[in-house]
Amino acid sequence: MLINEKEYNGYLFDQLTLLERLEIEAQKDNAMNVLNQIAFEKKAIERKLYQQPPLIKEQ
């Protein structure tokens, strides 16, 4: 099933939101290994989200 770029970006934003929620809880427990992994995952998602050129050409 093909999805468009807007829908794909929506999935990526949902993933970022989930990571931000997990980050809040990890900060409460001072879980540095978890915080480091969350930071890595956020960078990977943002790399996809803000890639240049975009997935599709604008018309």
Side-chain angles (χ1 to χ4, degrees):
M1 172 174 63
L2 297 176
I3 59 174
N4 62 32
E5 186 173 8
K6 185 175 181 179
E7 186 177 2
Y8 182 66
N9 287 346
Y11 294 140
L12 295 174
F13 278 120
D14 289 343
Q15 291 176 2
L16 284 175
T17 300
L18 176 60
L19 287 172
E20 289 167 353
R21 290 177 179 160
L22 293 172
E23 186 175 28
I24 291 168
E25 293 303 316
Q27 287 173 346
K28 290 178 184 177
D29 295 333
N30 199 23
M32 289 310 298
N33 57 340
V34 175
L35 291 170
N36 290 338
Q37 187 64 38
I38 289 171
F40 175 82
E41 298 299 336
K42 286 173 78 173
K43 285 180 186 176
I45 292 168
E46 288 169 350
R47 201 169 29 246
K48 293 175 190 175
L49 187 58
Y50 301 115
Q51 68 182 350
Q52 292 297 328
L55 293 174
I56 58 173
K57 294 181 182 179
E58 295 183 22
Q59 297 178 4

